Amino acid sequence: MRLSLDSKNRVSLTFFHEKEAPEKKKVGLEIGVDIGYKKLLSVSDGMFYGRSPLEYLYNYIARKQRGSKRYKKTLKFKKDEINRYVNRFLKEHPDLKTLVVENLKEVKKDSKFSKKINNKLQYWSYRQVLEKMERSCAENGILLLKINPAYTSQTCSNCGMKDKKSRNGEKFHCLSCGYSDDADHNAYVNILQRGLMTTLTTKQESPCFS
């Protein structure tokens, strides 16, 4: 319970209720998701959510005067669109048991991108998507795993060979085994495999893992 006073001396009382988190699911789908700039969600089952419209919004917002009505309106619209895409993903995967995502902390820190690119990146929705997924997973008993994203886009999901030359824009062609795929699809298959390997290793090291 919290008692507060606003600028007009009006008193409000807020009640908080803690809800016990549900038990983690024992059976269901195990899915890897790549949270991208051009494709918001690239899923290991081959689905994509939020392609070009969001990239257009990032560019549009970056050109607007910060703090203007149009700027604020577009930010809200972008937030609503993000929630809509994430909700759609979760609704279309009702049997989801384990969700594996990249842990992209401080994506702009120490980056070598230009000022123009960094200006666009600040409107990228990775953090909002992750926070939405964290809440939804906690509420629905889904295990959320955040893994180190290093080299997931340069590694072949078929043979495991890492070579940055294998990726060319949105296309991936392994120079070792010849495997070809959409670059984002290849990356999120690697994300899923790495997350499941982490889970397996944890289970082997800790008999109390559940």
Side-chain angles (χ1 to χ4, degrees), residues 50-79:
R51 293 200 185 198
S52 55
L54 286 172
E55 184 184 8
Y56 170 80
L57 278 178
Y58 301 147
N59 295 331
Y60 182 81
I61 296 170
R63 295 195 301 267
K64 294 302 172 184
Q65 181 180 352
R66 185 170 300 196
S68 66
K69 289 184 178 180
R70 181 67 65 178
Y71 176 87
K72 293 178 180 177
K73 184 177 181 179
T74 310
L75 278 181
K76 183 181 183 305
F77 178 74
K78 186 200 73 166
K79 182 178 180 180

Coordinates of all heavy atoms in Angstrom, one line a residue, residues 50-79:
G50 N 7.4 -8.3 -37.5 CA 7.9 -6.9 -37.5 C 9.1 -6.7 -38.5 O 10.2 -6.5 -38.0
R51 N 8.9 -6.8 -39.7 CA 10.0 -6.6 -40.7 C 10.2 -5.1 -41.0 O 10.5 -4.3 -40.1 CB 9.7 -7.3 -42.0 CG 9.7 -8.9 -41.8 CD 9.9 -9.6 -43.1 NE 9.8 -11.0 -43.0 CZ 10.3 -11.9 -43.9 NH1 10.9 -11.4 -44.9 NH2 10.1 -13.2 -43.7
S52 N 10.0 -4.7 -42.2 CA 10.3 -3.3 -42.6 C 9.6 -2.2 -41.9 O 10.2 -1.1 -41.8 CB 10.1 -3.2 -44.2 OG 8.8 -3.5 -44.5
P53 N 8.3 -2.3 -41.5 CA 7.7 -1.2 -40.9 C 8.4 -0.5 -39.7 O 8.4 0.7 -39.6 CB 6.3 -1.8 -40.5 CG 6.1 -2.9 -41.4 CD 7.4 -3.5 -41.6
L54 N 9.0 -1.4 -38.9 CA 9.7 -0.8 -37.7 C 11.0 -0.1 -38.1 O 11.3 0.9 -37.5 CB 10.0 -2.0 -36.7 CG 8.8 -2.4 -36.0 CD1 9.1 -3.7 -35.1 CD2 8.3 -1.3 -35.0
E55 N 11.7 -0.6 -39.1 CA 12.9 0.1 -39.5 C 12.5 1.5 -40.1 O 13.3 2.4 -39.8 CB 13.7 -0.7 -40.6 CG 15.0 -0.1 -41.0 CD 15.6 -0.8 -42.2 OE1 15.0 -1.7 -42.7 OE2 16.8 -0.5 -42.5
Y56 N 11.4 1.5 -40.8 CA 11.0 2.8 -41.3 C 10.7 3.8 -40.1 O 11.0 4.9 -40.1 CB 9.7 2.6 -42.1 CG 9.0 3.9 -42.5 CD1 9.4 4.7 -43.5 CD2 7.9 4.3 -41.7 CE1 8.8 5.9 -43.8 CE2 7.2 5.5 -42.1 CZ 7.7 6.3 -43.1 OH 7.1 7.5 -43.4
L57 N 10.0 3.2 -39.0 CA 9.7 4.1 -37.9 C 11.0 4.6 -37.2 O 11.1 5.7 -36.8 CB 8.9 3.2 -36.9 CG 7.4 3.1 -37.1 CD1 6.8 2.2 -36.0 CD2 6.8 4.5 -37.1
Y58 N 12.0 3.7 -37.1 CA 13.3 4.2 -36.4 C 13.8 5.3 -37.2 O 14.3 6.3 -36.6 CB 14.3 3.0 -36.4 CG 13.9 1.8 -35.7 CD1 14.3 0.5 -36.2 CD2 13.1 1.8 -34.6 CE1 13.9 -0.6 -35.5 CE2 12.7 0.7 -33.9 CZ 13.1 -0.6 -34.4 OH 12.7 -1.7 -33.7
N59 N 13.9 5.2 -38.5 CA 14.4 6.3 -39.4 C 13.6 7.6 -39.3 O 14.1 8.7 -39.3 CB 14.5 5.8 -40.8 CG 15.5 4.7 -41.0 OD1 16.5 4.6 -40.3 ND2 15.3 3.9 -42.0
Y60 N 12.2 7.4 -39.2 CA 11.3 8.5 -39.2 C 11.5 9.3 -37.9 O 11.6 10.5 -37.9 CB 9.9 8.0 -39.3 CG 8.8 9.1 -39.3 CD1 8.5 9.8 -40.5 CD2 8.1 9.4 -38.1 CE1 7.6 10.8 -40.4 CE2 7.2 10.4 -38.1 CZ 6.9 11.0 -39.3 OH 5.9 12.0 -39.3
I61 N 11.6 8.5 -36.7 CA 11.8 9.2 -35.4 C 13.1 9.9 -35.4 O 13.2 11.0 -34.8 CB 11.7 8.1 -34.3 CG1 10.3 7.5 -34.3 CG2 12.0 8.7 -33.0 CD1 10.2 6.3 -33.4
A62 N 14.1 9.3 -35.9 CA 15.5 9.9 -35.9 C 15.5 11.3 -36.6 O 16.3 12.1 -36.3 CB 16.5 9.0 -36.5
R63 N 14.6 11.5 -37.5 CA 14.6 12.7 -38.3 C 13.7 13.8 -37.6 O 13.8 15.0 -38.0 CB 14.1 12.5 -39.7 CG 15.0 11.6 -40.6 CD 14.6 11.7 -42.0 NE 13.2 11.3 -42.3 CZ 12.8 10.1 -42.6 NH1 13.7 9.1 -42.7 NH2 11.5 9.8 -42.8
K64 N 12.9 13.4 -36.6 CA 12.0 14.4 -36.0 C 12.7 15.1 -34.9 O 13.6 14.6 -34.3 CB 10.8 13.6 -35.5 CG 9.9 13.1 -36.6 CD 9.4 14.1 -37.5 CE 8.7 13.6 -38.7 NZ 8.4 14.6 -39.7
Q65 N 12.2 16.3 -34.6 CA 12.7 17.1 -33.5 C 12.3 16.5 -32.2 O 11.1 16.3 -31.9 CB 12.2 18.6 -33.6 CG 12.7 19.5 -32.5 CD 12.1 20.9 -32.6 OE1 11.5 21.2 -33.6 NE2 12.4 21.7 -31.6
R66 N 13.3 16.2 -31.4 CA 13.1 15.5 -30.1 C 12.2 16.4 -29.2 O 12.4 17.6 -29.0 CB 14.4 15.3 -29.4 CG 14.2 14.5 -28.1 CD 15.6 14.0 -27.6 NE 16.3 13.2 -28.5 CZ 17.3 12.4 -28.1 NH1 17.7 12.4 -26.9 NH2 17.9 11.6 -29.0
G67 N 11.1 15.8 -28.7 CA 10.2 16.5 -27.8 C 9.0 17.1 -28.5 O 8.1 17.5 -27.8
S68 N 9.0 17.1 -29.8 CA 7.9 17.6 -30.6 C 6.7 16.7 -30.4 O 6.8 15.5 -30.1 CB 8.2 17.8 -32.0 OG 8.5 16.6 -32.7
K69 N 5.5 17.2 -30.8 CA 4.3 16.3 -30.7 C 4.4 15.1 -31.6 O 4.0 14.0 -31.2 CB 3.0 17.2 -31.0 CG 2.7 18.2 -29.9 CD 1.4 18.9 -30.3 CE 1.0 19.9 -29.2 NZ -0.3 20.6 -29.6
R70 N 4.9 15.4 -32.8 CA 5.0 14.3 -33.8 C 6.0 13.2 -33.3 O 5.8 12.0 -33.4 CB 5.4 14.8 -35.1 CG 5.6 13.8 -36.2 CD 4.2 13.2 -36.6 NE 3.4 14.2 -37.2 CZ 2.2 13.9 -37.7 NH1 1.7 12.7 -37.6 NH2 1.4 14.9 -38.2
Y71 N 7.1 13.7 -32.7 CA 8.1 12.8 -32.1 C 7.5 11.9 -31.0 O 7.6 10.7 -31.1 CB 9.2 13.7 -31.5 CG 10.3 12.9 -30.8 CD1 11.4 12.4 -31.5 CD2 10.3 12.7 -29.5 CE1 12.4 11.8 -30.9 CE2 11.3 12.1 -28.8 CZ 12.4 11.6 -29.5 OH 13.4 10.9 -28.8
K72 N 6.8 12.5 -30.1 CA 6.2 11.8 -29.0 C 5.1 10.8 -29.5 O 5.0 9.7 -29.0 CB 5.6 12.7 -27.9 CG 6.6 13.6 -27.2 CD 6.0 14.5 -26.2 CE 7.0 15.4 -25.5 NZ 6.3 16.4 -24.6
K73 N 4.3 11.3 -30.4 CA 3.2 10.4 -31.0 C 3.8 9.2 -31.7 O 3.3 8.1 -31.5 CB 2.4 11.3 -32.0 CG 1.2 10.5 -32.5 CD 0.4 11.4 -33.4 CE -0.9 10.7 -34.0 NZ -1.7 11.5 -34.8
T74 N 4.9 9.4 -32.4 CA 5.5 8.3 -33.1 C 6.2 7.3 -32.2 O 6.1 6.1 -32.4 CB 6.5 8.8 -34.2 OG1 5.9 9.8 -35.0 CG2 6.9 7.7 -35.1
L75 N 6.8 7.8 -31.1 CA 7.3 6.9 -30.1 C 6.3 6.0 -29.5 O 6.5 4.8 -29.3 CB 8.0 7.8 -29.0 CG 9.4 8.3 -29.3 CD1 9.9 9.1 -28.0 CD2 10.4 7.1 -29.6
K76 N 5.1 6.6 -29.2 CA 4.0 5.8 -28.6 C 3.5 4.8 -29.6 O 3.3 3.6 -29.2 CB 2.9 6.7 -28.2 CG 1.7 6.0 -27.5 CD 0.6 6.9 -27.1 CE -0.5 6.1 -26.4 NZ -1.0 5.0 -27.1
F77 N 3.4 5.2 -30.9 CA 3.0 4.3 -31.9 C 4.0 3.1 -32.0 O 3.6 1.9 -32.1 CB 2.9 5.0 -33.2 CG 2.4 4.1 -34.4 CD1 1.1 3.7 -34.5 CD2 3.4 3.7 -35.3 CE1 0.7 2.8 -35.5 CE2 3.0 2.9 -36.4 CZ 1.7 2.4 -36.5
K78 N 5.3 3.4 -32.0 CA 6.3 2.4 -32.1 C 6.2 1.4 -30.9 O 6.2 0.2 -31.1 CB 7.7 3.0 -32.1 CG 8.8 2.0 -32.3 CD 10.1 2.5 -31.8 CE 10.2 2.5 -30.3 NZ 11.6 2.7 -29.8
K79 N 6.0 1.9 -29.7 CA 5.8 1.1 -28.5 C 4.6 0.2 -28.6 O 4.7 -1.0 -28.3 CB 5.7 2.0 -27.2 CG 5.5 1.2 -26.0 CD 5.4 2.1 -24.7 CE 5.3 1.3 -23.5 NZ 5.2 2.2 -22.3

